[in-house]
Amino acid sequence: MKEKDMEGSADPVGPPEDQDVLQENPDVPNGVGESSQEVTEVEEEPEREPEPLNLEDYLYDDGQSVTLDLNEQMLMVVPEGVFEFKKLTHLMLGDNGLTSLPDDIEKLVNLEILEVPNNKLGVISSSIYLLYHLRVLDFSNNEITEIRPDVASLLDMRELVFHGNRLTHIPAQIGYLEQLEYLILSENRISELPNTIGHCKSLKVLALERNVLDFVTPEVCKIEDLRRLALSGNHITNLPRETENFTCLEQLLLDDNEFEFVPIQVYWMETLTELALSGNKLTAIQPEIGNLKNLTVLGLNNNQIEVIPDELCDLNLIEVLGLENNRIKRIPDNISNLYNLKEIYVGNNCINEIPENLCWCSNLEVLSLLKNQISDLPVELENLRRLHSLVLSDNAFEVLPPAISSLHGLEIFLSDGNKVSQLPEDFGNMSKMKQINLSRNAFTEFPRSMCSLKGVEVLDMRHNQLQAIPNEVTRFERMRVLNLSNNRIRSLDPEFCGIKNLEVLDLSDNLLDDIPEEFEGMNELADLDISNNQFLQFPKIVFAIPNLERLKYDQKNGHPTPSLPDEVEFSGLSYLIVSNNSLRTLPNTISGMKNIQSFVADYNDICVLPEALCELKNLKVLHLNNNSLMSLPENFDNLSGLKDLRLYNNPLKTPPMDICVSGVMQPIGRFIRRAMEREEMLLLKMFDVIKLSLDKNEIRYMMKKFRFPDTKITELEQTFHGKDRIQDRVYNAMLFWKDFKGPLATIDELIRVFHIVGYEELCSKLKAMKIFAQRLRF
């Protein structure tokens, strides 16, 4: 088995923190809205039967082995034809939807390797244990609760992989597998191992990470050839005394347990090359650490260590040293003895000074000093010629030492969270630089020297006090991600759009009131955030950006926009956020957004949704929380792909919130259509009452108050002329109002208008009709 396929510990030291350089993507939650009760049952569309596989197409015979690769074929059952290949030696069934394996699998008498990871198996067929030639059995990431004692029959077994299941115990019969070399049981619920585990004399790798072990049976220590023992993520507080018997152990992984001290036995394992003790409760490292002369990786992050013992610095083979998140105050001077050191992580400690001797570790490639109290670096820093990652985040730097500019191999430089206002003069000489983070500093001017770094791909300058961006930024030929949020930028020159390869741009929380027309030439831009600015109108030019996929325009702390432009139809957006504006409706042209998958417009004043919204067949997420919606469009259930519907805090009546909260389209659509029919009938009955209640003069007054065009008033009076046609004139006037107002022509609106014009008696009649109709419905 390849080591990458085994379940190992978390990285004992970890890479330097990303510092959130990339723009935060719009929130696209999974699942539908929660509901306290199911409103109605929904008939699910039956799944199509997949076309049968031609198994010959997936069969590989190299003369020595015969392999059938059925990984990722969406199988619910194993095809019967599989068991006709009697010479099959290797069967791959990973990443399907299998819930069981048929008993016919015992027919594959020559099978040596069976891989069924990432399925939904709950039990192992007893027929598996009859495949006596099996050498590799991989059931990782299933739902298996038991390995049966029958496992003792698999005497040729070399690799047994069950990580990511629901095992609670291991049968004692595991001890019969004397040829077993790899036993991978991580991410289960195992609380103890059988004593017979010590009989597995050939075992080289034993992985028990993320289980519920409190202790390790001493019998494990009888496996003298063990090379890797992975126990991270349990509840272990100590190791058995017999641990010192391990004479070949190379990797001991004890991260995320409950050790308060390093068991003294560990220090006698002179063969160790990797020791991982991060995430425990260690307060000290004993001087005996100096015995582990072969260590190349030592992880001690996330403990309570206060002092680095001098003896640790005698381990001159160490390449990776993790000491982050402790209480260390100083780095010992003899750190220079670690001349093979390539990566050192001492972030989040109490260090205020870096010894110059650290700079004599000339093979150093990664130096992480984040979250300390450092304000300066030794001039000898220039000796670190191989350094490619330097992390100075969240320290006390006001001026960056000039020596940084001599690090010509530097590719990643993170210095966010300091008080720096300018860069060293020669900063532009670091031609290999790819990622820079200078956010949360005190820059008032964009550093022009940085613009010489043509290879920079990611630049984060958010949370500074920048007021303008120089035209020299066009020199960033490879720039993909640029974050300029939370500054004081008032405008962008057209030349800014010359950053041709830009994919992600964050301009949120600035003072912008316009976007240059040249933005439409930024062909690679896919993700744009212009939230919390001072736009008086929505900058429609953004809809002309040819490959824009994500747009965030949340104006919670900016100038709210009253409407979306009709040009939205030309957009290829997949994700659009327009929350915290003053939108009252959406344009009908929204139907042109054929690619839209997620639309979020929370905290607006939307009272009506256009029918055009119902044409967005690819829409999966629709958030309209905290608006003024009283009803949904008639064909709302046409949004058949909708998975996440949020309509909280709207005064919804058609349909009511208890139906909408389910997020299920069928009952929502059914309710809307029935409600529309009832509303239509009641509205026409009200028109009948109105036509009997108004005289000639009241009709003209009403039409004026309803703001009918003069031409329409004249037309109605001429068409329905005379005293005997007054009622027809009123009725047709109301029909015109209904068509003229469209979705806004509701019963409540009708009652409201008659109340305003002072027809109280008529208003009372209409209210009574509405109440009576509601009582009938309930």
Side-chain angles (χ1 to χ4, degrees):
M1 166 174 277
K2 295 181 181 178
E3 186 168 336
K4 68 178 181 179
D5 294 327
M6 294 183 284
E7 190 64 21
S9 70
D11 189 308
V13 290
E17 291 188 0
D18 189 10
Q19 305 297 312
D20 298 326
V21 173
L22 295 178
Q23 176 185 349
E24 181 184 353
N25 285 329
D27 182 25
V28 185
N30 294 319
V32 297
E34 297 180 358
S35 174
S36 59
Q37 59 183 1
E38 188 68 28
V39 177
T40 184
E41 293 186 3
V42 180
E43 295 182 6
E44 294 186 0
E45 185 177 336
E47 295 184 3
R48 290 183 179 179
E49 287 289 333
E51 294 184 7
L53 297 175
N54 182 2
L55 297 179
E56 298 283 350
D57 293 340
Y58 302 90
L59 196 66
Y60 307 93
D61 186 350
D62 63 4
Q64 295 181 341
S65 62
V66 181
T67 299
L68 181 59
D69 184 354
L70 296 178
N71 287 340
E72 300 181 6
Q73 296 299 322
M74 297 185 291
L75 299 175
M76 297 295 109
V77 295
V78 180
E80 293 183 5
V82 168
F83 309 115
E84 297 176 6
F85 299 111
K86 304 299 184 183
K87 296 183 179 180
L88 199 63
T89 59
H90 187 180
L91 177 57
M92 305 165 68
L93 293 166
D95 297 280
N96 285 291
L98 302 175
T99 56
S100 65
L101 295 180
D103 292 339
D104 284 350
I105 198 167
E106 68 179 281
K107 295 178 180 178
L108 303 177
V109 293
N110 293 301
L111 201 62
E112 297 178 6
I113 302 175
L114 176 59
E115 296 178 278
V116 203
N118 305 308
N119 279 277
K120 300 177 181 178
L121 300 174
V123 295
I124 304 174
S125 169
S126 58
S127 298
I128 297 291
Y129 302 112
L130 300 177
L131 300 172
Y132 302 122
H133 294 295
L134 272 181
R135 294 186 297 107
V136 177
L137 185 58
D138 184 354
F139 279 115
S140 55
N141 297 315
N142 279 279
E143 300 171 8
I144 297 167
T145 58
E146 180 186 23
I147 298 176
R148 294 175 55 179
D150 307 49
V151 72
S153 64
L154 303 178
L155 297 179
D156 285 345
M157 186 62 64
R158 300 296 196 277
E159 300 179 19
L160 199 57
V161 184
F162 276 85
H163 76 253
N165 279 280
R166 300 179 181 179
L167 301 176
T168 57
H169 74 283
I170 304 302
Q173 289 77 6
I174 198 81
Y176 286 99
L177 306 184
E178 295 183 358
Q179 304 299 317
L180 192 63
E181 297 180 0
Y182 297 87
L183 180 56
I184 314 300
L185 302 171
S186 302
E187 295 187 29
N188 280 282
R189 303 168 184 177
I190 301 167
S191 58
E192 62 179 345
L193 289 176
N195 289 335
T196 54
I197 190 73
H199 297 163
C200 300
K201 299 296 186 181
S202 300
L203 206 59
K204 291 181 173 59
V205 174
L206 176 58
L208 291 161
E209 296 175 285
R210 291 176 290 285
N211 278 281
V212 289
L213 296 169
D214 293 317
F215 68 96
V216 179
T217 174
E219 297 298 315
V220 170
C221 305
K222 294 181 179 180
I223 310 173
E224 296 181 356
D225 288 336
L226 198 65
R227 299 292 196 275
R228 175 187 176 97
L229 178 58
L231 298 168
S232 298
N234 283 281
H235 308 297
I236 303 170
T237 59
N238 206 344
L239 295 177
R241 178 174 54 83
E242 293 82 356
T243 304
E244 64 186 33
N245 294 338
F246 286 127
T247 57
C248 299
L249 197 65
E250 298 175 357
Q251 295 174 298
L252 179 58
L253 309 180
L254 302 171
D255 290 330
D256 302 314
N257 276 284
E258 298 178 14
F259 290 96
E260 295 183 2
F261 58 90
V262 180
I264 196 67
Q265 298 89 338
V266 170
Y267 296 129
W268 311 133
M269 300 182 208
E270 296 183 0
T271 55
L272 280 183
T273 60
E274 179 179 351
L275 175 59
L277 276 161
S278 296
N280 282 282
K281 303 175 182 178
L282 305 178
T283 57
I285 301 299
Q286 298 96 311
E288 287 82 359
I289 188 76
N291 294 336
L292 304 180
K293 300 296 185 183
N294 290 302
L295 272 188
T296 58
V297 178
L298 177 58
L300 296 167
N301 300 318
N302 302 306
N303 281 286
Q304 302 167 30
I305 300 168
E306 295 184 2
V307 176
I308 302 174
D310 287 341
E311 290 79 4
L312 189 152
C313 298
D314 292 333
L315 307 178
N316 52 34
L317 293 182
I318 281 189
E319 297 180 3
V320 181
L321 177 58
L323 291 163
E324 288 194 339
N325 298 305
N326 280 285
R327 301 173 182 176
I328 298 167
K329 294 182 179 179
R330 61 179 295 273
I331 298 174
D333 288 336
N334 64 339
I335 191 77
S336 57
N337 292 344
L338 303 181
Y339 45 79
N340 284 304
L341 192 63
K342 294 181 179 179
E343 302 177 22
I344 182 170
Y345 303 90
V346 290
N348 204 4
N349 279 285
C350 307
I351 302 168
N352 55 30
E353 185 177 3
I354 299 300
E356 64 180 60
N357 285 7
L358 177 62
C359 302
W360 297 110
C361 298
S362 56
N363 288 306
L364 205 59
E365 297 175 0
V366 177
L367 175 57
S368 177
L369 304 171
L370 75 159
K371 294 184 179 179
N372 279 285
Q373 301 161 19
I374 305 166
S375 59
D376 198 8
L377 295 175
V379 294
E380 290 81 2
L381 186 72
E382 63 184 17
N383 294 327
L384 303 179
R385 301 294 184 185
R386 298 186 179 182
L387 199 67
H388 62 68
S389 299
L390 177 59
V391 184
L392 304 177
S393 308
D394 294 292
N395 276 284
F397 289 97
E398 294 185 5
V399 176
L400 292 177
I404 289 178
S405 299
S406 62
L407 302 174
H408 298 301
L410 206 60
E411 297 179 9
I412 298 175
F413 179 58
L414 310 181
S415 184
D416 50 304
N418 285 285
K419 301 176 183 178
V420 179
S421 59
Q422 58 184 10
L423 297 180
E425 287 185 12
D426 297 331
F427 192 84
N429 293 338
M430 294 186 288
S431 57
K432 293 186 178 181
M433 191 71 75
K434 294 181 180 179
Q435 179 176 331
I436 303 174
N437 191 339
L438 295 171
S439 65
R440 297 183 293 119
N441 275 284
F443 288 93
T444 57
E445 294 185 4
F446 193 95
R448 293 178 185 268
S449 61
M450 194 163 54
C451 298
S452 301
L453 304 176
K454 297 181 179 180
V456 171
E457 298 177 6
V458 178
L459 174 60
D460 192 342
M461 291 290 294
R462 59 195 160 97
H463 286 281
N464 278 282
Q465 302 173 37
L466 303 177
Q467 298 183 25
I469 305 300
N471 294 337
E472 287 87 344
V473 294
T474 56
R475 297 178 184 172
F476 289 126
E477 296 177 354
R478 298 182 184 176
M479 181 76 71
R480 297 183 298 102
V481 179
L482 177 58
N483 195 329
L484 296 170
S485 65
N486 287 277
N487 279 282
R488 300 178 180 178
I489 303 169
R490 293 185 175 276
S491 64
L492 295 173
D493 292 336
E495 287 76 9
F496 176 87
C497 305
I499 312 178
K500 295 297 184 183
N501 291 310
L502 201 58
E503 298 173 10
V504 178
L505 175 60
D506 192 343
L507 293 166
S508 61
D509 293 277
N510 277 284
L511 302 172
L512 295 171
D513 58 10
D514 195 16
I515 295 290
E517 294 290 325
E518 287 75 7
F519 253 70
E520 64 180 330
M522 302 185 76
N523 295 331
E524 301 300 319
L525 192 59
D527 193 328
L528 175 63
D529 190 347
I530 50 175
S531 303
N532 297 324
N533 276 284
Q534 300 301 312
F535 301 107
L536 297 179
Q537 299 181 29
F538 194 99
K540 60 181 69 175
I541 190 61
V542 299
F543 292 135
I545 301 173
N547 294 303
L548 194 65
E549 296 179 5
R550 296 174 180 267
L551 175 63
K552 188 173 182 181
Y553 187 80
D554 186 324
Q555 294 293 80
K556 183 177 182 179
N557 298 314
H559 190 281
T561 298
S563 63
L564 289 179
D566 288 340
E567 284 80 358
V568 69
E569 70 174 313
F570 303 119
S571 166
L573 286 171
S574 297
Y575 304 92
L576 175 60
I577 297 178
V578 289
S579 300
N580 291 292
N581 281 281
S582 54
L583 306 179
R584 292 185 58 81
T585 187
L586 303 175
N588 286 318
T589 55
I590 198 171
S591 61
M593 301 185 74
K594 302 302 182 184
N595 297 330
I596 194 72
Q597 297 180 33
S598 176
F599 181 72
V600 179
D602 297 330
Y603 293 96
N604 279 279
D605 195 26
I606 299 172
C607 54
V608 176
L609 294 176
E611 279 289 339
L613 180 75
C614 305
E615 299 177 26
L616 304 179
K617 300 299 184 183
N618 292 316
L619 195 64
K620 294 181 175 64
V621 176
L622 179 61
H623 289 188
L624 294 166
N625 299 317
N626 297 89
N627 277 280
S628 303
L629 289 171
M630 297 185 69
S631 63
L632 298 179
E634 181 176 1
N635 296 306
F636 191 76
D637 59 340
N638 284 355
L639 300 174
S640 56
L642 205 59
K643 303 295 183 184
D644 186 356
L645 173 64
R646 307 286 177 90
L647 296 166
Y648 301 114
N649 296 320
N650 279 280
L652 275 168
K653 296 182 179 179
T654 310
M657 182 56 72
D658 59 347
I659 290 180
C660 293
V661 76
S662 71
V664 180
M665 289 293 103
Q666 187 174 339
I668 290 175
R670 185 187 302 124
F671 188 98
I672 291 172
R673 270 186 283 279
R674 290 177 179 174
M676 294 289 244
E677 292 170 2
R678 289 194 298 268
E679 178 105 354
E680 177 84 7
M681 291 174 60
L682 182 56
L683 202 58
L684 294 177
K685 288 181 179 179
M686 287 183 172
F687 292 172
D688 285 331
V689 172
I690 294 170
K691 75 180 184 181
L692 298 174
S693 304
L694 301 179
D695 59 26
K696 176 181 177 181
N697 294 327
E698 289 172 330
I699 296 170
R700 173 169 273 271
Y701 177 70
M702 179 201 72
M703 289 191 290
K704 288 286 188 180
K705 287 297 182 180
F706 274 64
R707 299 190 178 182
F708 284 16
D710 290 340
T711 54
K712 188 63 182 180
I713 295 175
T714 302
E715 177 190 332
L716 287 168
E717 289 178 342
Q718 290 178 351
T719 304
F720 304 101
H721 180 70
K723 186 175 181 180
D724 58 339
R725 303 295 303 276
I726 289 178
Q727 292 183 9
D728 292 335
R729 191 186 314 167
V730 174
Y731 192 84
N732 280 274
M734 298 314 304
L735 291 177
F736 172 75
W737 170 80
K738 178 175 173 293
D739 294 338
F740 182 68
K741 296 292 286 186
L744 297 177
T746 63
I747 290 172
D748 288 332
E749 176 66 9
L750 184 66
I751 293 173
R752 187 186 72 84
V753 174
F754 276 113
H755 173 70
I756 291 173
V757 298
Y759 292 175
E760 293 300 335
E761 184 177 348
L762 178 56
C763 193
S764 297
K765 288 182 182 180
L766 300 181
K767 285 181 181 179
M769 292 177 69
K770 176 186 173 184
I771 293 171
F772 183 71
Q774 288 176 336
R775 285 179 178 171
L776 285 177
R777 186 176 61 182
F778 294 117

